Amino acid sequence: MTNSMNNDDIVYKGINRQKIIASDKKKKSQTTVKKPKIIELVEAVAGKNMTILDFGCGYEQPHVNRLTQNGFKNVHGHDFSCPNPNIKRGHFDIVYANDVLHILPSDHALYLTLMDIAGYLNPTGVFYCNFNYPRALRKTSNKQMKGFLKEIFSEVFTLNTDVPNKMPLWGCRLEEDVTE
């Protein structure tokens, strides 16, 4: 098996999508992500002392609790149902939004929220998100979503682009990564 990587394969600090295994009970793949899960990605790429923000964590904060129980020391949650006034802007190494952006009522609200999220990242931080939406409710296409992200972030990359009819898992940086 060859390990050819292109820019879409790069996730963060040399971890590529081949290291993130789908948790599908019927079939596990060692080479592609069939059902990407942001929480598994964060666990794979984050250092235990990195500052992590779950944007749209939900009232019970299940991912925040999971990361904390797994030894991550600086994990915070922020949600409209349980706002956290103590989170610092420009402070986070990783910010992620899992299954939450699709609930925003309009493309304008989505764009403003993405701008807000970018403000929580430190200059070298990474933002991960998915946009799992019922197509009947939102007319925002993957191309439009990528356009919004490219207007805000200097580097935008995707995972699972080889899986037809799946919503991408997006990764974004404010500054392009120049390390090899």
Side-chain angles (χ1 to χ4, degrees):
M1 177 172 75
T2 62
N3 187 7
S4 62
M5 284 186 15
N6 62 36
N7 288 338
D8 286 341
D9 291 319
I10 298 168
V11 177
Y12 188 58
K13 292 190 175 185
I15 305 287
N16 67 49
R17 67 179 174 201
Q18 293 180 344
K19 300 214 179 193
I20 302 160
I21 307 304
S23 62
D24 183 301
K25 291 180 183 172
K26 295 178 186 172
K27 185 178 188 183
K28 290 188 178 183
S29 170
Q30 295 291 323
T31 57
T32 59
V33 175
K34 299 296 183 193
K35 187 178 180 185
K37 295 191 176 186
I38 289 178
I39 188 68
E40 292 170 359
L41 171 64
V42 171
E43 288 173 328
V45 301
K48 298 289 185 181
N49 292 316
M50 286 182 151
T51 53
I52 302 169
L53 176 63
D54 181 348
F55 190 93
C57 62
Y59 181 72
E60 294 182 357
Q61 303 185 14
H63 290 166
V64 172
N65 295 334
R66 174 176 166 170
L67 290 170
T68 302
Q69 290 169 357
N70 288 335
F72 293 89
K73 296 175 178 31
N74 299 304
V75 183
H76 304 273
H78 179 65
D79 193 273
F80 295 115
S81 67
C82 55
N84 185 344
N86 299 320
I87 59 174
K88 299 176 187 172
R89 297 187 70 71
H91 178 71
F92 292 92
D93 298 307
I94 295 176
V95 176
Y96 67 93
N98 184 58
D99 291 339
V100 69
L101 296 175
H102 66 278
I103 67 168
L104 296 166
S106 67
D107 285 349
H108 182 70
L110 172 62
Y111 184 81
L112 292 176
T113 300
L114 291 170
M115 292 283 293
D116 187 40
I117 289 169
Y120 289 105
L121 286 170
N122 67 35
T124 59
V126 181
F127 170 56
Y128 296 108
C129 68
N130 56 15
F131 195 64
N132 297 327
Y133 56 90
R135 289 193 183 269
L137 297 178
R138 289 297 300 270
K139 300 298 182 196
T140 307
S141 67
N142 291 337
K143 185 176 180 178
Q144 287 172 303
M145 180 66 172
K146 188 172 187 177
F148 290 155
L149 293 169
K150 282 189 167 203
E151 285 184 34
I152 299 165
F153 299 94
S154 66
E155 184 178 2
V156 176
F157 49 94
T158 58
L159 292 165
N160 75 322
T161 54
D162 58 339
V163 182
N165 302 317
K166 293 287 182 186
M167 300 301 112
L169 176 61
W170 302 97
C172 311
R173 290 187 182 93
L174 292 173
E175 296 178 359
E176 290 191 35
D177 186 11
V178 294
T179 61
E180 289 187 27

